[in-house]
Amino acid sequence: MTDLRQECLWEFVTPPAAPAAALTAQIKADVCVIGGGITGLCTAINLLEQGKSVALLEARVIGHGGSGRNVGLVNAGTWIRPDDVEATLGQQQGSRLNKVLGEAPAEVFAMIEHLGIDCQARNEGTLHMAHNANGVADLQSRHQQWSRRGADVELLTGAQCQEYCGTDKISAALLDRRAGTINPMGYTRGLAAAVRRLGGQVFEQSAVTGLTREGSAWLVKTAHGAVSADKVVISTGAYTEGDWTALQKQYFRGYYYQVASKPLQGAAADNVLKHGQGSWDTRTVLSSIRRDDQGRLLLGSMGRVDNKPAWFVRSWADRIQGHYFPQLGKVDWEMHWTGCIDFTPDHLMRLFEPAPGIVAVTGYNGRGNTTGTVIGRAFAQYLLQDDPDALPIPFAPMKPVSAPLLRTGFYETGFSLYHAGQCLRVLL
């Protein structure tokens, strides 16, 4: 049996990028982007293509955060149902957000083609799998709501559902043909390479320590340098650090872990998600399931396992795999990793303009591949045109989430107990 190591699969399989230097001088740019994830990189690309100069600051290395560590689902819409979005935001704003994010997968795949990014992109759709009768009812509602809006979705049942999912434990699955999968680290590094090709300056190991107004410009300080810029974009998500910004008070942090097998071969393995979709189930503490281009089985769930022993991780993965895909027999698990998600109480993102010339975003709630891509474009358009209509939703006032640390701790404790129950075969 292979030793189960703590390593992110996407970093393991993606060709390494040339390292970027840390910022060690004071420089000028039209726009300073803070955060080297999908949002920041897409903002930079859209600005550079319009002739603006951009300096991008990443606290660690490109892809370190959620942009390089997520499941790689290219989902349409938000975490919640489209009717709920409109009930929360109002019909006009909610309808606009549903439309923008419903079309977001197409924008991701267009960006990949436009920039020639090699990231295992597959536009085959995704499967939302019902694990019980309540899950079926939820998917029926989602199917009806998205169909009413003209989305290319289909509710699979019976033999067709079993064929697509590769398991008889799922009685219904919502196939969203708008969506798909990517290698998120490949996508993120590909975006960073495009920023460099377009003349953008990318600095790694350059955490921001201060943000102050100096005359008509903003001065973004790091430990060993600074960027003077007319405009600033803050796109650090769940990995926001430092006392220089109040953004980290606008969400509570959640964790998501994944476990990857060694590459699987044979007819039994080929029948698992045989048409190439990524998937997740309708459990409150959901499980995500997908394959990579080398045939690995990837399982994920809410919570963290970077602080748990290997036997716990392996036991959980065995339990989920044995339930859904017993035909695989004993699976050899190769690696596991954990990432962070920025959650909001209503599961909707927030856009902010904390001061003239500064824009910020948080609260992707696990939909960063698509949402980050479209917000990057929207932020660039807003900074270029000063037109609020470029944004999918209006800017919100900054109102701290109540007790974010308690929320994080409460959810993490619940997730850990739930997964322990799964390992002990008390829960599934």
Side-chain angles (χ1 to χ4, degrees):
M1 182 181 294
T2 302
D3 288 337
L4 181 62
R5 66 185 188 273
Q6 190 172 150
E7 182 177 3
C8 177
L9 169 68
W10 306 123
E11 186 166 6
F12 175 72
V13 300
T14 304
L23 180 64
T24 57
Q26 182 163 334
I27 64 172
K28 291 184 177 182
D30 293 326
V31 181
C32 179
V33 174
I34 304 171
I38 291 170
T39 304
L41 293 165
C42 286
T43 304
I45 288 168
N46 281 277
L47 289 168
L48 289 162
E49 289 183 333
Q50 295 299 314
K52 296 296 182 181
S53 60
V54 178
L56 185 145
L57 304 176
E58 164 57 42
R60 291 187 173 84
V61 296
I62 298 296
H64 166 80
S67 292
R69 305 178 69 81
N70 66 72
V71 179
L73 299 179
V74 184
N75 282 318
T78 68
W79 183 280
I80 62 177
R81 291 175 290 194
D83 281 4
D84 297 330
V85 173
E86 293 178 15
T88 301
L89 298 179
Q91 198 281 327
Q92 182 175 1
Q93 292 181 14
S95 177
R96 174 168 168 75
L97 185 61
N98 282 328
K99 183 177 188 300
V100 170
L101 294 185
E103 296 170 352
E107 188 161 338
V108 172
F109 293 116
M111 179 73 85
I112 290 167
E113 183 176 3
H114 169 59
L115 298 174
I117 297 175
D118 180 8
C119 60
Q120 303 177 25
R122 296 192 66 172
N123 193 187
E124 311 289 345
T126 54
L127 293 166
H128 195 176
M129 307 188 307
H131 77 291
N132 61 15
N134 288 336
V136 173
D138 179 39
L139 295 189
Q140 288 172 336
S141 176
R142 290 175 184 270
H143 175 253
Q144 187 274 330
Q145 291 180 30
W146 277 118
S147 295
R148 178 160 33 93
R149 292 168 171 84
D152 189 2
V153 295
E154 180 181 358
L155 190 64
L156 309 179
T157 58
Q160 188 182 26
C161 175
Q162 185 171 338
E163 180 201 0
Y164 270 77
C165 297
T167 175
D168 60 6
K169 298 299 192 295
I170 297 297
S171 56
L174 185 62
L175 171 61
D176 190 336
R177 293 189 177 87
R178 299 170 295 177
T181 57
I182 56 172
N183 166 349
M185 182 68 81
Y187 182 47
T188 304
R189 287 182 177 172
L191 292 172
V195 171
R196 294 188 179 100
R197 286 198 307 271
L198 291 166
Q201 300 182 79
V202 176
F203 300 95
E204 295 179 327
Q205 306 297 340
S206 299
V208 172
T209 59
L211 175 58
T212 58
R213 190 73 173 177
E214 289 206 352
S216 61
W218 289 101
L219 191 66
V220 186
K221 301 176 184 177
T222 69
H224 303 290
V227 179
S228 177
D230 296 331
K231 305 288 178 67
V232 176
V233 176
I234 305 174
S235 57
T236 45
Y239 291 78
T240 304
E241 299 176 343
D243 296 331
W244 58 272
T245 175
L247 191 64
Q248 57 196 323
K249 299 178 182 178
Q250 309 302 311
Y251 65 89
F252 63 96
R253 182 174 287 134
Y255 295 91
Y256 198 92
Y257 68 84
Q258 295 176 74
V259 188
S261 74
K262 294 185 71 66
L264 304 178
Q265 298 178 340
D270 291 343
N271 284 328
V272 174
L273 299 170
K274 66 185 296 181
H275 296 292
Q277 290 82 21
S279 69
W280 72 103
D281 59 29
T282 55
R283 302 171 194 276
T284 302
V285 185
L286 64 82
S287 301
S288 60
I289 307 168
R290 63 162 296 189
R291 310 288 301 279
D292 77 346
D293 67 341
Q294 297 179 26
R296 292 179 179 85
L297 176 65
L298 280 67
L299 305 178
S301 188
M302 301 299 305
R304 60 188 303 181
V305 294
D306 55 337
N307 58 357
K308 295 180 175 64
W311 66 262
F312 182 99
V313 183
R314 187 178 282 113
S315 178
W316 176 84
D318 285 343
R319 175 71 161 138
I320 299 302
Q321 173 261 312
H323 173 73
Y324 283 129
F325 311 113
Q327 70 271 24
L328 296 178
K330 184 66 175 177
V331 169
D332 197 0
W333 303 106
E334 185 175 16
M335 64 190 81
H336 69 88
W337 65 101
T338 298
C340 293
I341 299 174
D342 46 340
F343 283 112
T344 53
D346 60 8
H347 300 295
L348 292 173
M349 66 176 168
R350 306 284 193 272
L351 305 183
F352 304 108
E353 191 174 33
I358 300 179
V359 294
V361 59
T362 194
Y364 285 165
N365 293 278
R367 296 289 177 110
N369 293 326
T370 43
T371 313
T373 301
V374 299
I375 293 301
R377 171 183 50 78
F379 270 175
Q381 290 179 345
Y382 177 75
L383 295 176
L384 289 166
Q385 303 167 5
D386 197 25
D387 181 6
D389 289 340
L391 304 172
I393 56 174
F395 290 120
M398 298 191 84
K399 296 180 179 179
V401 171
S402 62
L405 293 178
L406 287 177
R407 287 176 185 262
T408 296
F410 173 79
Y411 280 107
E412 181 55 33
T413 299
F415 296 153
S416 294
L417 291 173
Y418 184 85
H419 295 137
Q422 291 179 313
C423 291
L424 295 171
R425 297 183 177 272
V426 176
L427 297 170
L428 188 57

